Amino acid sequence: MRTLNTKIWPRILIPRVLMTLAVACAPLAGFAQPGKLDLENLEKLNAKAAVVNDVTLDKSLLDMAVKILDSTHDEDAAQVKDTVKGLKGIYIKSFEFDEPNQYSPADVEAVRSQLARPGWSRIVQSRDKRHGENNEVYLFKENDKVAGVAILVAEPKELTVVNIVGFIDVDKLGELGGKFGIPEEIKDKPEKPKSKTPAATKPDNKENPNDDDQDQNDAQR
């Protein structure tokens, strides 16, 4: 009987074992970041949309974006920097169409089904059947801390998904509005510049100083 040379086994088996582990672990790569959504199914909408906004910022790119923001001397830079310090990534897919119904309910459901997984909870839902608009906000919690945010905006001519991954103070979420491609709408209303309320109306200065006395006399009559 021919004996096997055991000395060559490592050279044969190790590469095969490593390849097997790589293939087995590949499906788990997408779940490496708790709170991160898989948005690849929306790529097909690129060809249909008139305007496409695709933002992919992992931790390293996010840190670089903050540095660029610092260099612009933006007055909100310090607050934004403090808000994103616990983030691992920001991912956005936004499409605007010339005609309605260019995406299917299945496209939206593919995202919403991920938000039905354990850890996710919906905190905001706004529906306008008259105009066909549906806005939803979800939070992903890990050890009682917010470790992810998802914003889903579905309108007849627009579809937007915002996925913020990492620990974040929800009270500071509004500070990211208008930054890194995140819609302005997430800004907290109290943080927005308040419109000036008209001051209490004061009696106009009348040319005739006796007009007030005349008004009182008329009232007594």
Side-chain angles (χ1 to χ4, degrees):
M1 180 180 294
R2 185 179 177 182
T3 59
L4 294 176
N5 186 354
T6 57
K7 293 182 179 181
I8 67 172
W9 285 13
R11 287 185 293 172
I12 296 176
L13 294 179
I14 290 177
R16 292 182 180 178
V17 171
L18 292 176
M19 180 62 70
T20 302
L21 289 174
V23 172
C25 293
L28 301 177
F31 298 95
Q33 288 183 315
K36 186 177 185 300
L37 301 177
D38 181 4
L39 303 179
E40 289 186 5
N41 68 298
L42 301 179
E43 293 287 343
K44 60 187 177 183
L45 300 178
N46 289 345
K48 297 181 179 181
V51 178
V52 177
N53 291 316
D54 193 341
V55 177
T56 301
L57 294 174
D58 58 16
K59 179 61 176 175
S60 60
L61 291 176
L62 191 57
D63 290 341
M64 186 181 300
V66 170
K67 291 180 180 179
I68 295 175
L69 185 63
D70 277 338
S71 65
T72 62
H73 304 292
D74 190 313
E75 60 181 9
D76 298 329
Q79 293 179 337
V80 172
K81 188 174 182 179
D82 181 64
T83 302
V84 303
K85 65 182 180 182
L87 297 186
K88 298 178 181 178
I90 296 177
Y91 308 94
I92 301 173
K93 296 281 188 185
S94 181
F95 308 91
E96 294 182 19
F97 307 94
D98 288 332
E99 301 295 332
N101 304 319
Q102 295 300 299
Y103 64 89
S104 68
D107 295 327
V108 179
E109 194 56 35
V111 177
R112 191 178 285 121
S113 63
Q114 299 179 59
L115 298 170
R117 294 171 179 167
W120 285 104
S121 59
R122 186 173 60 197
I123 62 169
V124 174
Q125 182 178 30
S126 175
R127 287 185 179 180
D128 186 341
K129 293 183 178 180
R130 188 172 300 168
H131 297 94
E133 299 176 357
N134 188 11
N135 303 324
E136 302 172 48
V137 179
Y138 294 79
L139 296 182
F140 179 83
K141 286 191 175 182
E142 190 177 50
N143 298 326
D144 295 328
K145 293 184 179 180
V146 177
V149 178
I151 302 171
L152 176 61
V153 178
E155 300 178 0
K157 293 185 179 182
E158 179 180 347
L159 178 62
T160 298
V161 181
V162 178
N163 184 202
I164 302 173
V165 182
F167 294 104
I168 185 172
D169 186 345
V170 179
D171 293 334
K172 297 181 179 180
L173 184 61
E175 295 172 3
L176 298 180
K179 304 291 191 303
F180 312 114
I182 298 176
E184 292 268 1
E185 285 75 11
I186 73 166
K187 285 187 176 181
D188 297 328
K189 291 183 179 180
E191 296 297 329
K192 290 185 177 180
K194 297 181 180 180
S195 58
K196 295 182 179 179
T197 54
T201 305
K202 296 181 180 179
D204 296 332
N205 293 330
K206 299 179 181 180
E207 295 182 359
N208 187 352
N210 296 324
D211 284 349
D212 290 338
D213 295 337
Q214 182 63 40
D215 292 341
Q216 292 178 358
N217 294 334
D218 292 340
Q220 292 176 354
R221 292 176 184 175

